[in-house]
Amino acid sequence: MTAPIVRFAPSPTGRIHIGNARTALLNYLFAKRAGGQFILRYDDTDLERSTREFADGIAIDIEWLGIKPDQVIRQSERFDLYNEAADRLRAMGRLYACYETEDELERKRKRQAARHLPPVYDRAALKLTAEEKAALEAEGRTPHWRFQLEDRSVEWNDLVRGPSHVDSASLSDPVLIRADGSYLYTLPSVVDDIERGVTHVIRGEDHVTNTGVQIQIFEALSGRSPQFGHHNLLTNASGEGLSKRLGHFSIASLREADMEPMAVASLAVLVGSSEAVRAVPTMDELAALVDLARLSRAPAKFDEHELDGLNAKLLHQLEYADVLRRLNSLGIADGEAFWLAIRGNVARLADAVLWSGVIAGPVTRPEDLDPDFLRTAADLLPPEPWDQETWGQWTAKVKEATGRKGKELFMPLRLALTGIDHGPELKLLLPLIGEAKARDRLTVG
Ligand code: GLU
């Protein structure tokens, strides 16, 4: 097989959400795994609703998720190609002018309904003579343009859903160009896919209904068609569809909530697959787990709490080098030992700020701690240098001197040293706090 070429084609009319990210990632990982290419295509033919700001925002979201597009294209810069394709379809007799108004079409549909017929366009415009068309245009009507479907069953082997078909005779000839000359999504998408050599169209199953029509257009314009795969959609925890317009789980908001991109990517990809959902640390490893044929057909629920859990688990495995830059940008320069000490206690990376503050001090210790006990403990602090053994050696001496053990022994020390009743292992924190501060915290109120 030649290397696949895939595309992710958002319309920049809002920021992308986790469900869009699923589409982007499934495409990217499918291509990456086979050494293929990923195209980011902005479907911005709707010049009123699309904005450059949304497009730039989507580029940021995609990059944050770890996707590096090989090419970026914008439909708004490619109208010449669409016009040329439309001309070719006209010349083949597959794109025909229609003059019905919306009201007239509605009346036709009502008549069909009264006769229990499906609401399929009757192709009346195909029978118009040149004179009739000229007369309609003289009335001031401008045509919209329909693609003439061949009345046959269109079959494809869906990468996710398996053998699929649609009976084109049950479909209306689709409008490709509106009366104002603007393009609906259908034709530009096919033209771009042909021009860029797209081999696999992987998209949400809300697009299955377009596939029969698009395959016929692909075949008319290029004699062949790419492979199609329609993945299941994500819903929120209560089963409702996600909306870009309503800003549901936007990638921007997850980033602002300090989520790890690989936690988001892992969940977006693995939810609803036969793979156990887990936080996968790298794109390469995630790519190895993607198998379109094993995605579930049922909608998959996206659960924020699950993401929180994955985020924490992922952080707990990250190496210092993976987070160094971001720790620095949080104002933390405490070094590798710090990260290894605290990583098991952060649910979001920004929680590191709290632990950095605990080490730097000052800390506020509860007032009800026994000062005599703490003073005894302070007197027993060994001289530096300290390492991971220090805590055990020191507390053994404190135990011996005070007779305390277990929680009675450890909790007041933790509270005095950190001001918090839980947290990273003290054997790791103590050397980071150091003798001077530890002594201070044990002895000064
Ligand atoms: N712009 C379309 C969408 O956002 C692309 C559909 C496709 O991938 O063909 O749904």
Side-chain angles (χ1 to χ4, degrees):
M1 187 176 95
T2 53
I5 301 177
V6 300
R7 85 300 192 279
F8 171 57
S11 46
T13 53
R15 292 293 280 268
I16 56 170
H17 58 51
I18 187 84
N20 308 127
R22 176 170 171 79
T23 309
L25 286 159
L26 287 174
N27 273 286
Y28 181 66
L29 297 171
F30 177 84
K32 187 178 174 73
R33 189 173 163 167
Q37 287 202 36
F38 175 94
I39 300 171
L40 172 58
R41 184 184 85 201
Y42 293 110
D43 282 5
D44 56 355
T45 52
D46 181 342
L47 301 173
E48 257 160 46
R49 290 175 55 232
S50 304
T51 71
R52 184 71 192 212
E53 262 172 17
F54 283 134
D56 293 346
I58 290 171
I60 292 170
D61 298 340
I62 291 287
E63 191 195 325
W64 180 78
L65 283 166
I67 295 177
K68 293 175 206 70
D70 298 290
Q71 301 174 42
V72 179
I73 57 176
R74 293 170 204 280
Q75 292 197 320
S76 56
E77 294 168 357
R78 298 165 63 82
F79 284 111
D80 287 351
L81 286 171
Y82 313 143
N83 294 338
E84 208 178 285
D87 285 342
R88 282 182 56 211
L89 291 175
R90 280 189 198 97
M92 286 175 214
R94 295 292 297 274
L95 190 63
Y96 61 98
C98 302
Y99 295 85
E100 294 92 343
T101 62
E102 219 10 86
D103 280 350
E104 286 163 354
L105 289 172
E106 186 51 37
R107 264 180 269 135
K108 281 189 197 214
R109 284 193 286 265
K110 283 204 176 121
R111 282 200 298 275
Q112 284 167 321
R115 292 162 58 204
H116 304 291
L117 294 172
V120 176
Y121 177 62
D122 62 6
R123 292 179 169 161
L126 268 182
K127 295 177 201 100
L128 293 173
T129 63
E131 292 76 43
E132 285 168 329
K133 286 187 202 173
L136 286 163
E137 287 183 26
E139 256 176 43
R141 297 198 191 208
T142 41
H144 55 276
W145 296 82
R146 287 187 192 261
F147 176 71
Q148 188 176 356
L149 290 168
E150 289 168 352
D151 296 335
R152 60 180 167 95
S153 169
V154 175
E155 277 153 32
W156 76 95
N157 195 4
D158 197 282
L159 298 162
V160 180
R161 298 156 64 94
S164 306
H165 69 275
V166 59
D167 176 13
S168 305
S170 68
L171 303 175
S172 292
D173 286 342
V175 176
L176 300 188
I177 307 174
R178 299 186 188 90
D180 66 2
S182 64
Y183 285 93
L184 283 104
Y185 142 83
T186 321
L187 178 65
S189 181
V190 171
V191 170
D192 288 331
D193 288 344
I194 294 172
E195 196 265 342
R196 291 289 143 150
V198 167
T199 57
H200 297 79
V201 172
I202 301 165
R203 56 188 182 181
E205 65 183 12
D206 48 336
H207 284 288
V208 169
T209 48
N210 295 326
T211 306
V213 165
Q214 288 191 327
I215 287 177
Q216 285 216 20
I217 303 176
F218 272 110
E219 290 178 354
L221 289 172
S222 73
R224 55 204 292 267
S225 152
Q227 279 189 269
F228 284 85
H230 294 93
H231 64 76
N232 57 347
L233 300 181
L234 297 192
T235 67
N236 67 11
S238 35
E240 291 153 356
L242 303 182
S243 150
K244 193 152 67 176
R245 202 167 40 80
L246 298 177
H248 285 149
F249 302 118
S250 73
I251 298 305
S253 69
L254 296 173
R255 182 176 61 246
E256 276 152 25
D258 199 28
M259 289 296 172
E260 295 304 304
M262 280 310 301
V264 175
S266 298
L267 187 56
V269 168
L270 297 179
V271 65
S273 75
S274 54
E275 284 293 333
V277 178
R278 60 192 171 90
V280 183
T282 65
M283 279 291 195
D284 284 331
E285 286 163 86
L286 194 54
L289 298 176
V290 170
D291 183 351
L292 294 177
R294 289 172 67 196
L295 295 184
S296 156
R297 298 279 302 267
K301 278 191 180 153
F302 176 75
D303 180 350
E304 273 175 287
H305 302 299
E306 198 172 1
L307 181 59
D308 284 333
L310 289 183
N311 200 70
K313 277 196 200 128
L314 185 68
L315 284 167
H316 302 170
Q317 329 163 19
L318 288 185
E319 297 302 331
Y320 182 54
D322 301 329
V323 291
L324 170 60
R325 214 166 35 89
R326 288 165 59 212
L327 286 178
N328 287 343
S329 65
L330 288 168
I332 299 173
D334 291 316
E336 180 165 17
F338 164 77
W339 173 247
L340 296 179
I342 65 115
R343 67 178 175 179
N345 291 80
V346 293
R348 312 263 167 115
L349 190 71
D351 297 345
V353 173
L354 167 81
W355 297 115
S356 180
V358 163
I359 286 163
V363 302
T364 316
R365 75 178 202 207
E367 281 169 15
D368 57 354
L369 297 179
D370 174 354
D372 294 337
F373 168 71
L374 296 180
R375 178 159 299 281
T376 307
D379 290 343
L380 290 168
L381 279 171
E384 284 183 319
W386 286 359
D387 59 22
Q388 289 187 21
E389 307 305 316
T390 308
W391 167 258
Q393 292 159 356
W394 174 49
T395 52
K397 289 203 195 115
V398 178
K399 179 178 175 180
E400 208 179 283
T402 63
R404 293 197 189 204
K405 55 184 189 309
K407 207 173 164 201
E408 296 277 278
L409 171 66
F410 298 120
M411 189 49 84
L413 296 178
R414 176 178 284 283
L415 285 167
L417 290 169
T418 69
I420 303 174
D421 64 3
H422 63 275
E425 281 186 86
L426 283 160
K427 71 172 192 177
L428 302 177
L429 287 186
L430 189 63
L432 297 168
I433 294 169
E435 187 188 343
K437 277 184 276 178
R439 193 174 294 285
D440 214 39
R441 291 177 194 183
L442 292 164
T443 50
V444 184

